[in-house]
Amino acid sequence: MNHLTAIFGHIGGTLLLLVSSVKFIGTLPRQRARFIEQCYLIGYTSLPIVTILSFFIGSVLALQSGYSMENFGAKQFIGTLVGLTMARELGPVMVAILIAGRVGSAVTAELASMKVYQEIDALTTMNIPPERMLVLPRLAAILVMMPVLAIIANLCGWYGGALVCQYTHSISVDSESYFIALKTYMKPKDIIDGLVKAEVFGFVIILVCCYIGLNTRGGPREIGASVTKAVVASLILILVLDYFVTKALLFA
Amino acid sequence: MTAPAASSYTASPFVGRTFGVTVAGLNKNFGRTAVLKDINLEVKPGEIFCIMGPSGSGKTVLLKHIAGLEHATSGEVRIGEFDAADPETRNKVHLALVFQAGALFNSLSVYDNLALYPREHRQCNEAGIRERVLHALSILSLEKAANKFPSDLSGGMKKRVAIARALVMEPQLLLYDEPTSELDPVMSATLTEIIATLREQTAVTSIVVTHDRDLAFNIADRVAFMMDGRIQGVGPRADFKTPADPVIANFLNPVIDLKNPRFKQLE
Ligand SMILES: Nc1ncnc2c1ncn2[C@@H]1O[C@H](COP(=O)(O)OP(=O)(O)OP(=O)(O)O)[C@@H](O)[C@H]1O
Ligand SMILES: [Mg+2]
C-alpha cells in the first residue's frame, strides 16, 4: 500500500515537473545556446553507437529471417521483414534503450550532483527556476533529436540487412530486390509510427531522469542510487509504453 | 554599471527598497529531532545582524528558512510583508544567500557563475554584465581566477567566488553563512569592510551567521546567540563583549588550559 502511494506520488511529481517546465516554453528562443548544447550531447554524441548497433541489428534480423524463411520459399520478403521490424519496433526501442543508458543516466547524475552539492538550492535563491534552465532545454532537445536518431537507426538497419542478404551465400538476395520488397510493402505510416514511438520514449526517459535527479536527497552515495533508479525506471517504461503505444498506433 | 540599452532588458524592479525579517514562533523538526525550537527574531531593515553559536546549533537551518529553502514545521518567517516560504516572494524580494559550502555551479567558469544571475534576469547587456562581474571579482581579488572552474580553486577562493556571486546580484537582503570561515585574516578583514560598506551604500539588510568574533564585534548592529536550536540572547554587539550569561561568555572566550584540557573533563 505504501509502495502504491509512493508510485502515484512520483507519477504526480513527474507530471508537475512537466507542467512547470513547459510553462517556460516562451524562454526557449533565448535559451538556444543551452538547447543546441543539449542537442549536441543527446544527438551528436550518440551517433556512433546508434549507427553501429542498428547496423548489426539489421544484419542479424536478415540472417535470422533468411534462415527461417528459406524453408517456405519466402526469401524475397526478407526486405519487407527487416524494413518493417526496424521501422516499427527495433529502431525506436533500440535508440530509446541507448538513450536511457547513455543520456538518461548522465542527466540524472548531473542533476543529482547539482542537488546534493546545493547548486539547485543556489538556483532557487537566485530566482532561476531549475525547470526553466535545466529541464526545458533537455526536453526540447530530445524531441528534436529522437526522430533524427530513429531515422538513422532505420537506415543503418536496412543497409545492414541488405549487405547480409547480398553477401551471405545461403541467402543471396541481391540488394535491389531486397529494397524493392522493402518499398512495396511498407507504408509511410509504418515509418511515422516508429518515429512517434521514439518521440514518446525519448521524452518520457528525459522527463523521468530529470525528475529522479532533481529529487535526490542525501550525500554523494545517493547520486549513484539515483542513476540506477533512473536507468531501471527508463527501461521498464520503454517496454511497458512500447506495448500501449503500439496498440494505440495499430488500432487508432 | 551601464544603463540597460535596449528595451528588451527589464530594469531591476528592486532598486531602493530594503526589507526587514521577522521570525515568529519558528519550529523545525527533521524526523523526530527538533532542530529549531520556538525561534523569535526581528531583524530591522538595513541592519547588520549577526548570528553566532556552537556548531550544530541550527544556524544554517534558520538561514535556509529565511531564504525559503526549508519549510517550517510550525511558525513563520516574513521578509518585509511577504511570507519567506512562498515561492512568489522571490519575485518581490531580491535576496542572495552565500552558502556555507559555496554552492558554486561546477559546470560553469567563475566568470559565468557570476554572470548567470544578471544574464538570466536580463538586467543589462553583456557589456554591462561584464563590468559588474569584473568589479565584483576585483573587490575580492579574484581577477586571475575569472576563467577557472570551481574544481580548480582553493577552499577560500571558492568562498570568495560565492561572495562575489552574491554581490553581483545587488540584493536587498543578503544572507551570509559563515562567510569568513575559510578566509585568511586579511581577507576576513576585507570582507568585514565589504559587508559594512555595502550596507552604507545600498542599505541592504545583512544577516551574517559567523564564528568570527572580529566581524561580529566590529560591524554588527545586533548579535543573536543560538544554542541547541534556541535563541539564547539577542542584543547590541556591546552586550556580547562582556556577556553576563556564563554560557555565552564561555563560548566567546574559551580559556585554553593545557593542565586541565576540556576533552579530559568529558571523560
Ligand atoms: N537536512 C537535514 N536533515 C536532518 N538533520 C539536519 C538536516 N540539516 C541539518 N540537520 C541537523 O540540524 C542541526 C543543525 O544544523 P545546522 O547545519 O543548522 O548547524 P549550524 O549551526 O549551521 O552548525 P555549523 O556552525 O557547524 O555550520 C544539526 O544537528 C544537523 O544534524
Ligand atoms: Mg552551518
Side-chain angles (χ1 to χ4, degrees):
Chain A
M1 198 60 218
N2 260 340
H3 281 295
L4 210 61
T5 45
I7 287 175
F8 280 113
H10 289 314
I11 293 175
T14 312
L15 290 177
L16 277 181
L17 180 66
L18 174 61
V19 171
S20 50
S21 310
V22 172
K23 197 171 73 188
F24 295 110
I25 191 107
T27 65
L28 211 49
R30 67 178 164 98
Q31 295 206 67
R32 59 187 169 276
R34 275 185 204 124
F35 166 73
I36 290 166
E37 185 192 2
Q38 289 305 325
C39 284
Y40 172 82
L41 289 175
I42 292 173
Y44 187 74
T45 61
S46 300
L47 272 181
I49 186 157
V50 165
T51 319
I52 295 171
L53 231 87
S54 44
F55 180 86
F56 277 99
I57 287 188
S59 313
V60 169
L61 259 179
L63 268 185
Q64 294 277 27
S65 48
Y67 167 75
S68 45
M69 286 169 127
E70 175 93 274
N71 297 336
F72 35 95
K75 269 193 336 195
Q76 66 272 34
F77 296 120
I78 295 179
T80 317
L81 191 136
V82 174
L84 276 175
T85 317
M86 279 312 291
R88 295 198 60 98
E89 184 63 34
L90 288 181
V93 170
M94 278 318 301
V95 171
I97 288 176
L98 286 178
I99 288 293
R102 266 199 93 253
V103 180
S105 58
V107 167
T108 305
E110 185 176 352
L111 298 196
S113 106
M114 289 185 77
K115 176 76 201 242
V116 165
Y117 294 108
Q118 295 189 304
E119 292 180 38
I120 302 288
D121 282 350
L123 282 178
T124 308
T125 60
M126 294 166 102
N127 200 11
I128 302 170
E131 296 89 356
R132 182 179 84 197
M133 188 178 133
L134 300 171
V135 182
L136 183 69
R138 290 180 163 89
L139 288 179
I142 194 79
L143 284 182
V144 173
M145 295 320 291
M146 257 337 242
V148 176
L149 289 175
I151 287 172
I152 290 170
N154 288 345
L155 290 175
C156 293
W158 294 344
Y159 278 102
L163 276 180
V164 166
C165 286
Q166 179 145 20
Y167 293 107
T168 306
H169 199 66
S170 59
I171 304 176
S172 43
V173 172
D174 62 283
S175 51
E176 200 174 333
S177 37
Y178 172 93
F179 276 111
I180 287 172
L182 191 147
K183 272 189 224 153
T184 319
Y185 294 98
M186 262 179 84
K187 299 183 289 299
K189 183 175 183 298
D190 292 321
I191 297 179
I192 292 170
D193 279 3
L195 299 188
V196 169
K197 274 163 87 167
E199 203 76 307
V200 172
F201 297 157
F203 192 76
V204 170
I205 293 169
I206 296 297
L207 186 64
V208 166
C209 288
C210 285
Y211 172 78
I212 294 178
L214 286 175
N215 283 282
T216 306
R217 251 167 263 282
R221 175 191 276 237
E222 271 69 25
I223 300 174
S226 279
V227 173
T228 310
K229 221 192 290 176
V231 172
V232 171
S234 301
L235 293 181
I236 293 174
L237 280 170
I238 291 169
L239 295 181
V240 173
L241 280 175
D242 189 21
Y243 177 82
F244 291 103
V245 177
T246 307
K247 199 163 173 184
L249 288 170
L250 281 177
F251 302 106
Chain B
M1 198 188 109
T2 49
S7 59
S8 61
Y9 299 111
T10 49
S12 165
F14 302 107
V15 196
R17 252 209 90 178
T18 179
F19 290 92
V21 175
T22 316
V23 182
L26 178 64
N27 286 286
K28 176 69 181 179
N29 301 343
F30 284 114
R32 242 173 271 150
T33 44
V35 172
L36 297 181
K37 301 161 192 162
D38 192 31
I39 305 267
N40 291 287
L41 282 178
E42 175 90 49
V43 180
K44 300 189 194 88
E47 195 173 30
I48 296 180
F49 191 89
C50 281
I51 302 173
M52 306 186 79
S55 185
S57 55
K59 305 181 297 295
T60 298
V61 175
L62 173 59
L63 220 50
K64 282 189 176 171
H65 278 84
I66 299 173
L69 293 174
E70 292 277 4
H71 292 276
T73 307
S74 69
E76 66 166 3
V77 180
R78 300 202 147 261
I79 304 176
E81 65 269 33
F82 307 114
D83 182 357
D86 181 2
E88 265 305 299
T89 302
R90 287 190 253 278
N91 292 322
K92 296 163 187 154
V93 186
H94 205 187
L95 73 80
L97 168 59
V98 179
F99 286 79
Q100 190 165 3
L104 301 180
F105 304 116
N106 283 307
S107 58
L108 300 180
S109 71
V110 167
Y111 183 92
D112 290 334
N113 260 279
L114 270 64
L116 183 69
Y117 183 84
R119 272 181 194 153
E120 284 293 314
H121 291 276
R122 299 206 274 179
Q123 288 183 331
C124 43
N125 56 23
E126 208 43 48
I129 290 172
R130 189 175 169 76
E131 196 173 316
R132 246 161 94 171
V133 169
L134 292 183
H135 178 66
L137 286 175
S138 72
I139 290 181
L140 289 148
S141 333
L142 282 165
E143 295 95 334
K144 290 208 189 83
N147 293 317
K148 289 193 173 153
F149 279 81
S151 55
D152 303 333
L153 301 178
S154 73
M157 285 165 89
K158 279 186 197 154
K159 205 56 175 275
R160 272 145 63 201
V161 174
I163 294 162
R165 189 174 69 181
L167 297 187
V168 168
M169 290 167 66
E170 299 182 348
Q172 296 159 305
L173 173 61
L174 246 169
L175 310 171
Y176 300 88
D177 199 348
E178 306 197 5
T180 57
S181 63
E182 277 162 291
L183 305 186
D184 61 59
V186 176
M187 238 329 143
S188 301
T190 314
L191 186 70
T192 309
E193 292 161 8
I194 291 173
I195 297 174
T197 315
L198 217 59
R199 191 269 300 267
E200 221 159 87
Q201 288 172 350
T202 65
V204 58
T205 311
S206 313
I207 301 181
V208 191
V209 166
T210 186
H211 295 304
D212 185 340
R213 284 168 294 180
D214 289 335
L215 187 153
F217 296 154
N218 277 299
I219 61 165
D221 295 307
R222 284 188 305 150
V223 178
F225 190 85
M226 253 183 110
M227 187 95 193
D228 198 21
R230 288 179 208 283
I231 299 288
Q232 185 95 3
V234 190
R237 63 171 186 256
D239 290 6
F240 284 83
K241 286 193 176 152
T242 47
D245 188 331
V247 180
I248 301 179
N250 184 45
F251 178 78
L252 291 177
N253 301 299
V255 184
I256 295 172
D257 181 358
L258 294 179
K259 297 223 172 63
N260 187 17
R262 267 159 233 276
F263 66 90
K264 287 229 170 107
Q265 291 173 19
L266 296 176
E267 281 169 3

